[in-house]
Amino acid sequence: MKIKTKIILLSSAIGTLILLSFAVYVSYFTAKTLESKFYIRLEENARMLGTHVFNSKSYKDKGYYELSNQFINQFSFGRNYLVRVEKNKKQPLYEPLLPMGNFFFEEAIENGKAELMINDTAYVALFFEDKDHDKNLVVVSAAVDEFGEAEHADLNRALISGVVIFLFLIVLISFYFAKKLLNPIASINKRIGQINISNLNMRLSTKKSKHQKQTEEKDEIEVLISNINDMLSRLEIAVKSQRSFISNASHSLRTPMTIISGESELALNSLDPKHPAHYSLEMVSREVDRMNLIVSNLLLLSRTGYDGKVQNMSHVRIDELLYKVKESEGYLNDNHRIFLDFSNIPEDSNLLSVYVNEDLFFIGLSNIISNACKYGNDKEVKVSIEVDHSKIVIRVMDQGIGIPDRDKPHIFESFFRASNVGSIYGNGLGLVLAKNIFELHDATLTIDSTEGKGTIVTITCPIADF
């Protein structure tokens, strides 16, 4: 998951939690406030009714009914109950038509007031001590607070819509700030993507002015840029040193090897083949040629690995290039049998064109085909071409010794040779060089091999654009 997505999700989750907590808090305490206010209104109704009853000559006169209707009708489903309780007792004389038990009246008698909510109906009971009569009075007012419930429902709807709107705003703000915060990192990644082995002199830069850099403390991004630039400087020095060493060493080795090769050939030509030193000179000459090949491959490998770009590019027909490789291999070794299978090539010749450095691509293909011939048990090597969408696929198949499974992870390491090559000549650089050459041309090289059965090398390269 990308950091930007993580920031947006985390900010949204935190914002949602805060908004929901706030909404629940407001909704809960609003409901409690409305309920408390409704209890107060019912209490006022019960107190006024009880006071009027005490001031009346009878318990239920005309004034009682008028007062009862005047106040209780203000509420939905409102109703008053007058309950007589004998003195020094905590239970009514008869069971009123109310859903609660005697505990409600006991609380009202003990505390002077009792409140209870059953479903949506609120009950408030007030205790009045009647000194003029032999029984005390409990007035119960009951009603449903439809207005309060409607207000609470409107508030909940407003809170829900507010949470949705603010959550949407939080996501937008999180997206904006995540993009703004990560823009420097994106710029760093883009700049680093442009740096390769051929332009290590490039450096990352910040948008702050020199005056700001001197007076302000560096933030984390600037510290990161500074560390990357320091690393690039060290890497540039190391690469230049290594490149200089390889180039100087290669050129320095060529001169003495050329002299040794020339002198050994001169000695061989002037020496009787039956002379005891003739064999030794032949070995010297052969090993010098081998060293020349190693030095040439090392120099070419260093150039393809360090330049990072290919010059002298041109459009080349891949089938014609393979013909040249076949002729070159046949010239070097008459025993190499190479069969070019062009049965699947398209009729449009433009689909066989690649945009490459012809010399380098020739070396890469030559190394692959030469390996197939060397390790192919002197059997025929088949080279086929086909076009798959916008790619040219070249397959080099042999029926040779194959590669052991334990050696496959190391086949692209310099100087590595498989454990089953025996006395077959090689230096372990040809496959590495070929892979580097193909990668420079945006081509891929894959190897599928079975020990004792053979190897299939697949080269996939893009078709040239005209």
Side-chain angles (χ1 to χ4, degrees):
M1 185 183 293
K2 292 184 176 180
I3 296 178
K4 182 190 292 185
T5 306
K6 288 182 179 179
I7 292 175
I8 294 172
L9 291 178
L10 184 60
S11 302
S12 301
I14 294 174
T16 302
L17 182 61
I18 294 174
L19 288 174
L20 288 177
S21 300
F22 177 76
V24 170
Y25 173 83
V26 171
S27 177
Y28 175 78
F29 282 98
T30 300
K32 287 298 181 181
T33 301
L34 291 173
E35 182 179 313
S36 176
K37 289 181 178 180
F38 190 63
Y39 278 138
I40 292 174
R41 293 171 63 191
L42 286 179
E43 181 182 347
E44 290 176 352
N45 174 79
R47 190 176 302 281
M48 189 173 295
L49 180 60
T51 302
H52 179 77
V53 169
F54 275 134
N55 294 332
S56 301
K57 294 180 179 180
S58 62
Y59 288 148
K60 292 184 179 181
D61 61 358
K62 183 178 180 182
Y64 158 74
Y65 290 107
E66 291 178 354
L67 190 65
S68 174
N69 292 332
Q70 179 182 354
F71 288 96
I72 203 64
N73 287 341
Q74 296 177 6
F75 307 105
S76 300
F77 306 103
R79 189 172 181 182
N80 291 319
Y81 301 89
L82 298 179
V83 181
R84 286 295 176 175
V85 180
E86 292 185 1
K87 293 183 182 299
N88 299 323
K89 289 187 178 181
K90 296 183 179 181
Q91 295 180 357
L93 294 175
Y94 60 89
E95 294 289 338
L97 298 176
L98 292 172
M100 74 286 292
N102 287 331
F103 70 91
F104 180 69
F105 297 99
E106 293 176 2
E107 181 183 352
I109 293 170
E110 288 181 0
N111 302 326
K113 182 176 70 172
E115 297 175 349
L116 182 65
M117 179 71 71
I118 300 178
N119 296 328
D120 295 332
T121 305
Y123 296 88
V124 174
L126 291 182
F127 174 71
F128 294 90
E129 186 176 358
D130 194 344
K131 297 180 180 179
D132 299 329
H133 301 87
D134 58 348
K135 297 175 184 177
N136 294 324
L137 177 65
V138 175
V139 179
V140 179
S141 295
V144 176
D145 188 12
E146 287 189 341
F147 176 78
E149 291 179 354
E151 289 289 317
H152 190 231
D154 291 340
L155 175 65
N156 287 339
R157 284 191 291 270
L159 288 173
I160 292 172
S161 60
V163 167
V164 173
I165 293 172
F166 280 103
L167 181 58
F168 178 72
L169 291 176
I170 287 173
V171 172
L172 291 180
I173 294 172
S174 301
F175 181 83
Y176 171 77
F177 280 105
K179 185 176 180 181
K180 191 174 183 64
L181 288 172
L182 295 176
N183 268 342
I185 297 179
S187 300
I188 292 173
N189 287 333
K190 183 178 179 181
R191 185 70 170 174
I192 290 177
Q194 298 172 351
I195 300 175
N196 53 45
I197 205 72
S198 64
N199 57 359
L200 286 174
N201 59 322
M202 293 179 64
R203 294 293 182 269
L204 305 179
S205 59
T206 59
K207 295 183 179 180
K208 286 190 175 183
S209 64
K210 292 182 180 179
H211 177 70
Q212 287 177 314
K213 288 182 181 179
Q214 292 174 356
T215 58
E216 295 182 7
E217 184 180 356
K218 290 183 177 180
D219 59 20
E220 288 79 0
I221 298 296
E222 290 178 319
V223 172
L224 175 63
I225 291 174
S226 178
N227 291 336
I228 292 175
N229 285 336
D230 291 342
M231 181 192 67
L232 289 173
S233 298
R234 295 192 299 269
L235 186 60
E236 182 182 12
I237 293 172
V239 169
K240 286 182 177 179
S241 300
Q242 189 173 3
R243 182 187 300 178
S244 176
F245 169 78
I246 292 176
S247 179
N248 293 334
S250 300
H251 287 295
S252 298
L253 288 172
R254 283 179 182 274
T255 301
M257 285 191 300
T258 302
I259 295 174
I260 294 172
S261 178
E263 294 296 329
S264 61
E265 288 182 6
L266 181 61
L268 283 173
N269 292 332
S270 61
L271 195 63
D272 186 355
K274 295 180 181 181
H275 193 278
H278 192 277
Y279 175 76
S280 298
L281 288 173
E282 281 184 340
M283 289 295 296
V284 170
S285 180
R286 190 180 301 117
E287 290 303 315
V288 168
D289 291 339
R290 182 181 177 185
M291 287 185 66
N292 269 319
L293 179 61
I294 292 174
V295 170
S296 298
N297 282 338
L298 280 174
L299 188 58
L300 185 57
L301 180 61
S302 68
R303 287 175 178 171
T304 58
Y306 292 146
D307 287 344
K309 57 185 178 180
V310 183
Q311 298 178 348
N312 302 322
M313 302 279 282
S314 62
H315 290 88
V316 179
R317 284 275 300 268
I318 199 68
D319 52 344
E320 295 178 355
L321 190 59
L322 286 172
Y323 268 123
K324 294 180 181 179
V325 173
K326 179 182 177 181
E327 291 178 356
S328 175
E329 289 296 320
Y331 175 78
L332 294 174
N333 194 325
D334 295 334
N335 295 326
H336 289 176
R337 292 186 296 159
I338 302 171
F339 171 66
L340 299 180
D341 180 10
F342 292 164
S343 59
N344 293 323
I345 62 175
E347 295 182 359
D348 186 359
S349 60
N350 289 331
L351 296 177
L352 294 175
S353 293
V354 290
Y355 189 64
V356 297
N357 180 301
E358 185 174 356
D359 294 332
L360 283 178
F361 220 74
F362 178 90
I363 293 172
L365 292 174
S366 179
N367 284 352
I368 297 299
I369 295 175
S370 176
N371 280 349
C373 293
K374 279 196 302 183
Y375 305 112
N377 287 336
D378 295 328
K379 295 181 181 179
E380 184 179 73
V381 173
K382 180 181 177 181
V383 181
S384 65
I385 305 176
E386 63 182 51
V387 175
D388 183 14
H389 297 94
S390 60
K391 303 287 185 180
I392 297 176
V393 181
I394 306 165
R395 288 189 177 88
V396 180
M397 296 164 279
D398 66 62
Q399 306 171 54
I401 61 175
I403 303 173
D405 291 338
R406 63 180 179 276
D407 294 335
K408 289 179 181 178
H410 309 287
I411 57 177
F412 292 116
E413 296 177 5
S414 299
F415 298 105
F416 178 81
R417 303 194 70 203
S419 57
N420 61 338
V421 297
S423 60
I424 301 175
Y425 170 76
N427 53 39
L429 291 173
L431 192 58
V432 181
L433 179 59
K435 184 175 183 294
N436 283 3
I437 289 173
F438 293 138
E439 286 181 349
L440 287 173
H441 293 86
D442 295 326
T444 59
L445 184 148
T446 57
I447 296 178
D448 182 16
S449 182
T450 304
E451 186 177 8
K453 293 185 178 180
T455 301
I456 301 176
V457 179
T458 304
I459 303 149
T460 306
C461 50
I463 297 174
D465 294 328
F466 289 93

